Amino acid sequence: MRSKLVAANWKMNFTANEARAMLAALRAELDPESSTLAKDREVLIAPPAVLIPAVSQALAGSSLLLGAQNMHFEDKGAFTGEISAPMLKPFGVTHVILGHSERRHIFGETDEAINKKVLAALRHRLVPILCVGETLMQHDAGNALEVVVKQLENGLDGVSSEDIERVVVAYEPVWAIGTGKNATPEQAGTIHGAVREIIEQRWGREAAVKARIIYGGSVTPENVDSLVSRPDIDGALVGGASLRADSFARIVRARVG
Ligand code: PGA
């Protein structure tokens, strides 16, 4: 059985003090249940880069994992404003979100750059969370699957069969992000099934069985149970609803039925 991964993408929210208050509230909710939750779920917090040291401290002694929202593919050099894997790792960062639709659409990240980041993450033993997803226009034109397949194939180009098991794919339809309009469990389930098939074709059955494919886009305490109950949906990437301790804790406790 694949364990579920529930990831908080804080995006550009919280000062250090706000982050500490949020995590104190979240730990008060989740720490007492950590041994039950640990059996089948992993919980990840991805704060803005500048908060990683503070969050790392605030998470000490908890089972919550620490992730970054982005990184550069080079280890160092003349890349103003960027951060690299070797800078993240000493703080206990284990995961990095890559190719989020806001990175693709607001900051112009290409499949090629995202692929380099995926390979850099793997080289540094970080788990890449590769985000894929179609825009509303592509969705309405019936091109969702085609877009997702292309992003997936380009993003994972050159990933070895040993490394594929460490990759997490996040299906995040752009029209569902921050809009309150989530994909239905059926819609998401279809895409997740297709992603798993591609992984099987490319890397074999075992890789496909182990691959974790999570869903993101307006996940809330109200809709999370039905989403993660689909066998192909291995967790959630949560934006807006991860900013409040009570709603994120409820999402972490999602009932798989
Ligand atoms: P949302 O964001 O939950 O606010 O829709 C999800 C994401 O962008 O990862």
Side-chain angles (χ1 to χ4, degrees):
M1 257 296 275
R2 296 180 295 267
S3 63
K4 303 277 183 194
L5 171 66
V6 183
N9 176 7
W10 283 359
K11 306 192 180 181
M12 195 175 74
N13 290 290
F14 295 151
T15 62
N17 281 340
E18 288 164 348
R20 277 189 280 266
M22 158 65 184
L23 290 171
L26 187 65
R27 289 192 62 175
E29 291 258 1
L30 294 180
D31 280 1
E33 299 162 40
S34 59
S35 55
T36 4
L37 288 172
K39 284 191 199 106
D40 71 338
R41 60 204 64 183
E42 283 172 34
V43 184
L44 177 77
I45 307 292
V50 72
L51 299 185
I52 283 175
V55 170
S56 174
Q57 261 186 356
L59 293 183
S62 87
S63 59
L64 304 182
L65 301 168
L66 179 57
Q69 297 177 12
N70 182 30
M71 64 170 209
H72 197 269
F73 48 81
E74 295 288 353
D75 289 359
K76 60 179 179 177
F79 301 103
T80 301
E82 293 291 322
I83 53 166
S84 70
M87 296 173 188
L88 295 168
K89 291 208 51 162
F91 293 102
V93 170
T94 52
H95 293 60
V96 57
I97 299 171
L98 295 173
H100 187 278
S101 74
E102 286 147 19
R103 301 293 324 163
R104 291 177 190 265
H105 299 293
I106 305 175
F107 301 102
E109 281 192 19
T110 61
D111 275 349
E112 192 192 352
I114 294 162
N115 175 242
K116 286 186 183 164
K117 293 179 180 200
V118 168
L119 297 174
L122 290 167
R123 198 166 58 242
H124 286 284
R125 312 294 298 171
L126 289 169
V127 174
I129 302 179
L130 171 66
C131 301
V132 296
E134 80 285 1
T135 63
L136 182 60
M137 234 163 72
Q138 293 163 332
H139 176 75
D140 288 347
N143 294 334
L145 196 55
E146 191 188 319
V147 169
V148 166
V149 167
K150 182 169 163 286
Q151 290 175 343
L152 187 77
E153 291 188 334
N154 291 341
L156 296 182
D157 192 33
V159 172
S160 70
S161 41
E162 295 88 68
D163 281 345
I164 190 69
E165 288 175 13
R166 294 193 289 122
V167 173
V168 174
V169 176
Y171 171 53
E172 296 206 303
V174 180
W175 50 270
I177 295 178
T179 58
K181 264 195 283 177
N182 63 293
T184 63
E186 292 69 33
Q187 281 172 321
T190 305
I191 303 276
H192 284 225
V195 168
R196 206 174 295 287
E197 252 172 58
I198 304 241
I199 294 176
E200 177 163 359
Q201 283 161 18
R202 189 65 88 82
W203 289 275
R205 173 106 192 105
E206 202 185 321
V209 170
K210 287 189 181 157
R212 273 198 301 181
I213 307 166
I214 64 177
Y215 169 79
S218 296
V219 174
T220 63
E222 289 73 37
N223 62 26
V224 69
D225 296 348
S226 59
L227 285 162
V228 299
S229 292
R230 295 279 309 201
D232 269 325
I233 303 184
D234 303 311
L237 182 51
V238 189
S242 76
L243 299 177
R244 279 189 34 204
D246 55 352
S247 63
F248 188 61
R250 171 61 187 86
I251 291 171
V252 168
R253 296 185 191 107
R255 285 185 281 268
V256 180

